[in-house]
Amino acid sequence: LRAEVPRPIYLVAEKILEAEEELPPEWGAKGTTGYDFANLALRLLADPEGEAALTEAYRRFAGVEDGFAEIVRESKLQIIEDEMASELTTLVNRLAAIARSHPDTVDFSEAALRRVLAKIVADFSVYRTYIAAFPPSEIDRRQIERAVRKARGRHPNIDPAVFGFVRDVMTGDLGRDQDAVLECAMRIQQYSGPVMAKGCEDTAFYRYNRLLALNEVGGDPGSFGIGIDAFHRIVERRAASSPHTMLATSTHDTKRGEDARMRLVVLSELADEWARLVEDWSATLHRRGGAGVLDPNDEYAFYQVLLGSWPVEFRGRRDLDPAALAAFRDRVEATVIKMLREAKRHSFWARPNTNYEAAALGFIRDALDAEAEDGFLDGFMSFAEKLAALGLRNTLIETVLKLTLPGVPDFYQGAELLDLSMVDPDNRRAIDFDLRARLLPVANVTLEGDGAAAKLAIIARLLDLRRRFPELFAEGSYEPIRVEGRNAHGICAFVRRHGNAGLLVACRLDWSPSSDPLESPVLNLPDMPRETWCDALAESDVLPASLQTALSRLPVAAFYW
């Protein structure tokens, strides 16, 4: 493509990178379409201290004992044996033909080959390898050997020679029938990608519901928060390898809107309160007589769906507009039905369980009954309002990071305001662009109202800054700022510099700073003449007395010079 077009082309790969996975450098792509950034920002905002409490609350309520990795493996095996069984048969036929061509492997049965290949593919930790010729790259070889090693360790009763044969086909180490072996290896890697997509994103993400904010394309719901130092190391590495990668927070494929995730990740900070409330809500709805038929795991997910997408205008039960509530309920029902069928536990796309789905719809209607007097909606809405306020803090932080870290920010349609959408097709509804056009000239960076105007204002001002200082954002350095003091663990700060221009960004992740100025965090800033600073987010040029003052007004601060 680059050879055909006489001007530079910006090329990124629609590629999901798993943990520690990098884009093959020989591709020459600028980076990915941004799923990795969305998950990096999310993990920065997740409170690691809430992991144990959330895990225990989920285990106690839903009864789920398996970790996410095990659920993914089981889900992939189900996909292999059901939806993609015919493709597996085709691959086994190719393997068997290669095996029959040599006396050392002629006795390998198709049944043994099928079992071994299925187990290896289920244990792949990435979507696929990219072998086009032998020998494979060291990266691809490592991924294959890791998957074989894990699968072989799980199944010591299977002949290890069969594992070795399949591995040698996938790596080209078999040493014979190279054309047939390469063709087979390439088809296996084309098979492992959709198995991962269907098994992980489209199944396991709907079975493991500990914290739905983490169940996102390119993410790992089994991992949790990431420390600030680790965050800086990852950004530095990406700034060196792919400084112009895309930075996305919502796409057509994300499981929920970016601001719904920003709300739900707050549960990591409120784990004990959340655990108590879920038990209380469930007990209340069970007393109505309709909730007992719903699987606790599905019920646990439902409360999170409701919290993440709860409309900001729904403030008081008595003030709920019936038509608006009914429209919202329709969206929730469609989302829950999709979740049930994707999970493939109680219902299926090919064979819907109409009884269970009807029970789930009845449960939703019970929960959203504004006339009920048992207090469920009142208590729920009080917590939803609290979560929305804290979620706005995360929204502003994520938005500033997307616009200031090395890379190219991407905005999904309509996400300039709060995006509380659910999984597709809910996130593909018509967008009111006229509303955004009307709000843009008057949007202010304040925490008043629902915060949508603040998000829009930050986007507009930082995009304008990027336009005014293109070299700073395209080529500028990334320098983590060391923070000291009692509350230092809650501050993420960095500087970007290019020539005489620079940008300082600071985010307060911990929104409970000490009132004692002696305990305020101290930023060890590089030598920068403060008299030339300008506030990138404020309307006026009047600078706050200190960075601490700026961060007490907003959870983010950005100064340029």
Side-chain angles (χ1 to χ4, degrees):
L1 182 62
R2 284 179 172 141
E4 291 291 326
V5 180
R7 63 179 183 276
I9 296 176
Y10 178 66
L11 289 177
V12 288
E14 175 79 1
K15 165 69 177 169
I16 294 170
L17 295 175
E18 295 300 312
E20 305 303 321
E21 186 182 9
E22 301 281 350
L23 277 183
E26 63 271 17
W27 289 9
K30 294 295 185 182
T32 71
T33 51
Y35 297 118
D36 41 346
F37 168 75
N39 286 283
L40 178 63
L42 189 68
R43 291 181 65 200
L44 176 68
L45 294 167
D47 183 357
E49 293 187 4
E51 179 175 11
L54 279 179
T55 302
E56 174 57 22
Y58 179 47
R59 185 201 64 76
R60 188 171 60 247
F61 186 93
V64 176
E65 300 285 351
D66 289 339
F68 179 68
E70 183 59 26
I71 291 175
V72 170
R73 196 178 72 85
E74 292 173 357
S75 299
K76 289 170 72 175
L77 285 171
Q78 182 177 339
I79 293 296
I80 288 169
E81 294 298 343
D82 293 341
E83 296 179 42
M84 300 190 68
S86 61
E87 291 90 340
L88 180 64
T89 298
T90 300
L91 291 172
V92 169
N93 289 340
R94 289 179 176 273
L95 284 170
I98 296 170
R100 286 193 296 267
S101 69
H102 195 276
D104 289 346
T105 55
V106 69
D107 292 331
F108 292 166
S109 68
E110 291 189 3
L113 291 169
R114 186 182 189 92
R115 287 185 68 196
V116 164
L117 182 58
K119 305 305 184 187
I120 292 173
V121 171
D123 263 320
F124 251 80
S125 58
V126 296
Y127 278 69
R128 56 164 293 170
T129 52
Y130 292 92
I131 296 170
F134 293 138
S137 69
E138 284 305 309
I139 293 174
D140 285 343
R141 177 179 291 279
R142 250 193 330 268
Q143 296 293 354
I144 293 169
E145 291 182 346
R146 180 184 302 161
V148 172
R149 186 167 57 251
K150 288 164 64 177
R152 184 173 173 176
R154 294 183 200 276
H155 303 281
N157 58 318
I158 300 178
D159 185 353
V162 182
F163 276 107
F165 168 73
V166 176
R167 178 201 60 211
D168 289 348
V169 169
M170 295 173 71
T171 61
D173 292 349
L174 193 64
R176 65 174 194 266
D177 305 321
Q178 286 293 279
D179 289 343
V181 167
L182 179 60
E183 175 73 12
C184 187
M186 293 175 69
R187 289 183 179 271
I188 290 173
Q189 68 188 6
Q190 290 173 337
Y191 179 71
S192 69
V195 168
M196 173 71 96
K198 290 177 179 292
C200 181
E201 295 174 40
D202 296 341
T203 305
F205 274 12
Y206 296 96
R207 291 182 176 181
Y208 186 76
N209 300 320
R210 179 181 64 171
L211 181 59
L212 290 189
L214 300 175
N215 293 26
E216 198 46 82
V217 178
D220 178 8
S223 64
F224 214 77
I226 186 171
I228 292 173
D229 289 343
F231 172 83
H232 285 315
R233 287 195 296 271
I234 292 171
V235 175
E236 285 181 298
R237 187 174 70 244
R238 291 181 181 173
S241 63
S242 51
H244 304 134
T245 189
M246 190 176 285
L247 308 179
T249 43
S250 290
T251 75
H252 67 288
D253 233 4
T254 41
K255 301 302 183 185
R256 50 197 47 84
E258 60 194 61
D259 302 301
R261 294 197 306 274
M262 293 299 98
R263 284 183 180 180
L264 290 176
V265 77
V266 174
L267 295 178
S268 65
E269 304 173 44
L270 307 173
D272 292 334
E273 182 179 5
W274 158 251
R276 176 180 56 79
L277 286 172
V278 168
E279 298 283 357
D280 291 347
W281 294 340
S282 183
T284 299
L285 293 177
H286 273 253
R287 283 194 292 270
R288 294 188 193 177
V293 296
L294 198 61
D295 184 300
N297 194 30
D298 296 331
E299 184 180 345
Y300 200 80
F302 164 71
Y303 295 130
Q304 294 180 69
V305 170
L306 218 56
L307 284 169
S309 57
W310 193 254
V312 292
E313 63 271 19
F314 286 10
R315 297 192 180 276
R317 180 168 60 92
R318 294 300 181 190
D319 299 325
L320 290 176
D321 176 70
L325 182 61
F328 175 68
R329 186 185 65 221
D330 289 344
R331 293 170 52 210
V332 173
E333 290 177 354
T335 294
V336 169
I337 293 301
K338 174 168 182 169
M339 292 172 66
L340 297 179
R341 294 179 182 179
E342 295 284 25
K344 305 172 188 66
R345 294 171 60 249
H346 298 296
S347 195
F348 309 86
W349 288 110
R351 182 172 48 85
N353 182 339
T354 54
N355 290 334
Y356 188 78
E357 291 184 0
L361 295 178
F363 175 77
I364 294 169
R365 293 181 186 122
D366 264 359
L368 296 179
D369 181 2
E371 302 302 318
E373 297 292 344
D374 54 22
F376 167 75
L377 265 187
D378 294 313
F380 174 85
M381 292 174 74
S382 175
F383 186 67
E385 187 172 353
K386 177 179 181 178
L387 210 67
L390 293 171
L392 175 59
R393 171 203 66 189
N394 290 340
T395 283
L396 300 187
I397 292 173
E398 181 186 56
T399 302
V400 167
L401 290 176
K402 180 168 72 170
L403 283 153
T404 57
L405 289 177
V408 179
D410 176 73
F411 295 88
Y412 186 60
Q413 50 188 348
E416 300 85 4
L417 298 183
L418 295 185
D419 181 2
L420 304 175
S421 57
M422 304 170 226
V423 70
D424 65 278
D426 190 69
N427 65 353
R428 303 177 192 185
R429 290 169 293 142
I431 305 301
D432 188 345
F433 289 107
D434 289 339
L435 171 63
R436 286 152 179 78
R438 290 196 304 271
L439 284 178
L440 186 59
V442 297
N444 295 315
V445 186
T446 70
L447 294 179
E448 299 174 359
D450 61 19
K455 182 182 181 183
L456 182 65
I458 285 176
I459 292 171
R461 290 170 191 176
L462 290 180
L463 281 178
D464 181 61
L465 192 66
R466 294 179 68 96
R467 179 186 59 80
R468 292 162 55 199
F469 297 95
E471 293 85 3
L472 172 63
F473 289 96
E475 309 297 338
S477 63
Y478 179 84
E479 306 168 27
I481 298 299
R482 192 164 42 103
V483 186
E484 298 175 346
R486 180 170 177 176
N487 293 300
H489 69 283
I491 301 291
C492 179
F494 59 88
V495 165
R496 300 198 64 193
R497 290 194 277 191
H498 184 272
N500 295 324
L503 174 73
L504 166 67
V505 174
C507 306
R508 181 179 289 284
L509 311 180
D510 179 359
W511 200 228
S512 301
S514 169
S515 58
D516 185 346
L518 296 178
E519 296 180 349
S520 298
V522 176
L523 275 68
N524 293 283
L525 300 176
D527 184 24
M528 296 177 293
R530 190 179 183 281
E531 61 272 11
T532 64
W533 286 14
C534 297
D535 193 330
L537 304 182
E539 288 187 296
S540 68
D541 292 330
V542 179
L543 290 174
S546 68
L547 188 61
Q548 182 72 9
T549 302
L551 290 175
S552 66
R553 183 192 62 186
L554 290 170
V556 285
F559 301 99
Y560 67 95
W561 61 91

